[in-house]
Amino acid sequence: MKFLRMRPGFGEQLIAEGDPGVAEEEQALIEEFRRQLDQGMWAAVPTTSTGGRREAEMVRGFDEIPRDTDRVIFFPRAAGGAR
Amino acid sequence: MIVALAATAIVVLALLWEISMPYLERRSEERRLRKERRARAAQDPPGYDPGRERRAEQRARELLKSCVNEEEWAMYRDLGFLRVWGGQSQADGPSELRGIDYAYLVYPHKPILAYLPQTGRLLNEYCVEFPDETRPYGSKRLPDSDDVLAKWMALKGDERRIIAEANLHLPGRQHDPRQIERDLWRLGRWERERLARASRSGTTREAEPADG
């Protein structure tokens, strides 16, 4: 499982990678997930439905991430436009 | 004789108009994008590197392409925006939206625009940003395609939440209604051409819907 984060001037950056089936790696992923949310990020998981349609799920906790997903995308939380 | 010549001239003019329209549209769109780029460049922070931003945008486009449907990707590539169908029209949605097909137009770094596809009526502008306050290169703005993907994921994943976070405005606040009208017309034509291409190619499978 890969954690990607959108960054200005970068595009996406790989911030963590690990196998949630391995206890140590899962712990590292959990910590990174919490760190990102603490920094004000939102997390989303791109999914593909049974009909092949692309969707996305917003996840608020590590345990909400589908076990078979290969990537989680973090992006800054939404804020009402300034203008 | 004169009538026949006049009729012929009218037909020729009409055909020329039909042929030149796509070219004129393309030129007009390019002019508009150049103007937007210039306006944006004027607001760029110190240390702005166009090459780095282009590379970032290229990566963002690849990420967007890997997440959305093929039709949505083609729509964004060809038209510069995405249409996302609203998800609150089902029986469990709010009573005022139940049974009403509505959709959003998602542009990079512009408000999300809600509208009624059947009539083209514009409903609201939802002004929302995804500011990265860490500002790795001085700017808090995500690349254009990342901004579109963030809106797409937020609308798909938790429509109510993103709409609740946004500032609500009437149409016309930031989007030019004439431009939107034009974009909806372009979208309609783009879809018709896509369908025609699909039927010409003899594919029996139906075009995969963008969503909804």
Side-chain angles (χ1 to χ4, degrees), chain B residues 75-129:
Chain B
M75 188 185 295
Y76 181 67
R77 181 196 60 208
D78 296 345
L79 303 174
F81 59 86
L82 276 186
R83 178 193 54 207
V84 180
W85 291 98
Q88 304 286 307
S89 355
Q90 290 95 353
D92 58 344
S95 57
E96 68 271 20
L97 291 173
R98 218 168 286 159
I100 299 173
D101 284 334
Y102 66 99
Y104 300 102
L105 295 181
V106 176
Y107 294 82
H109 297 294
K110 281 190 173 177
I112 296 168
L113 187 84
Y115 77 109
L116 299 177
Q118 288 191 333
T119 60
R121 187 179 150 215
L122 308 183
L123 299 175
N124 292 307
E125 287 184 11
Y126 296 98
C127 191
V128 65
E129 296 172 345

Side-chain angles (χ1 to χ4, degrees), chain B residues 71 194-195 198 203-210:
Chain B
E71 185 180 1
R194 193 177 157 85
L195 274 175
T203 51
T204 49
R205 76 177 172 83
E206 287 183 15
E208 180 196 1

